[in-house]
Amino acid sequence: RLELPAGTRGVIINVGSKKDPIQPPVDNSSIVVIAVEPILTTAMRIKRPRHGRLLVIGGVAIASGPPRFQMFREYFRDGLSSSLAKVIDERLRQLFSQDEGRLWPVAVLPLKTLLRSIPSSVNILHVMTDMQGFDLDAIKSAGDEIRRTPSLMTEVSCGGKVAYEGVKNDLALDWMDYMRT
């Protein structure tokens, strides 16, 4: 279990936070933000407020499948764009070409592992993901634990456009069926 500050009654989860994660609300000291940033050096640059209500988990990617180690691609410095997959969209590939290829080893865990590490007495208020196409796989990896949160904001693609190799994250083609279940 994660050790959360005393008095924590709710958490907001920000997966793929980059260097500017969601910040805890200033008017409610019972809410903690958990920011997950796969690139460890980016996670280390995140400014942590003195109040201790921003918990940064660095060097971990959230995705489907069993826990494992995998190489993670950084396309722009400071984690401004990164992914478990290779870019296949030609426009993005040209944009990323000068930084493409920087690889980082990360631990890959299903979202269920993170959600289960939060005590059941703590409400999961909101989950936000920005995972370059792995958002749906990550949400599916939570299984029934995803029902602990009433609010989800996630990056999706539209119109069958695929930017990264091997991902399925289209709103109409992939998400709609999942949301109906």
Side-chain angles (χ1 to χ4, degrees):
R1 297 236 178 246
L2 287 174
E3 289 187 30
L4 301 171
T8 300
R9 294 200 324 248
V11 296
I12 297 169
I13 298 172
N14 185 180
V15 179
S17 67
K18 301 175 183 55
K19 63 181 182 178
D20 297 313
I22 297 171
Q23 293 296 308
V26 294
D27 60 343
N28 189 339
S29 63
S30 71
I31 297 176
V32 170
V33 170
I34 300 171
V36 180
E37 172 49 50
I39 299 174
L40 190 55
T41 56
T42 301
M44 290 169 42
R45 289 187 196 114
I46 295 173
K47 293 182 180 165
R48 290 159 179 84
R50 288 186 183 167
H51 53 60
R53 294 185 300 113
L54 175 62
L55 176 63
V56 178
I57 300 173
V60 172
I62 302 292
S64 63
R68 63 193 181 278
F69 290 99
Q70 185 173 333
M71 299 309 284
F72 194 85
R73 290 171 164 73
E74 181 178 21
Y75 291 106
F76 279 134
R77 301 284 184 234
D78 292 330
L80 293 177
S81 188
S82 55
S83 180
L84 285 167
K86 291 181 181 177
V87 171
I88 59 173
D89 178 270
E90 189 57 38
R91 185 181 57 84
L92 284 178
R93 187 178 303 167
Q94 289 175 6
L95 182 65
F96 295 159
S97 65
Q98 63 195 85
D99 284 327
E100 188 173 357
R102 188 164 176 179
L103 298 173
W104 297 92
V106 297
V108 181
L109 301 173
L111 185 57
K112 180 182 281 188
T113 301
L114 176 58
L115 298 178
R116 284 186 172 170
S117 72
I118 299 165
S120 59
S121 61
V122 174
N123 294 316
I124 300 172
L125 304 171
H126 179 69
V127 174
M128 177 181 154
T129 68
D130 182 356
M131 302 172 60
Q132 277 58 37
F134 286 93
D135 306 75
L136 179 58
D137 282 345
I139 297 303
K140 285 180 174 180
S141 79
D144 287 341
E145 291 291 319
I146 197 64
R147 297 186 189 280
R148 287 184 64 189
T149 182
S151 175
L152 173 65
M153 181 169 52
T154 185
E155 180 182 57
V156 300
S157 58
C158 294
K161 182 181 175 189
V162 178
Y164 294 89
E165 182 178 85
V167 300
K168 293 184 180 215
N169 200 47
D170 188 274
L171 178 61
L173 300 174
D174 307 308
W175 276 93
M176 295 305 286
D177 284 340
Y178 173 74
M179 291 190 297
R180 287 184 190 107
T181 59

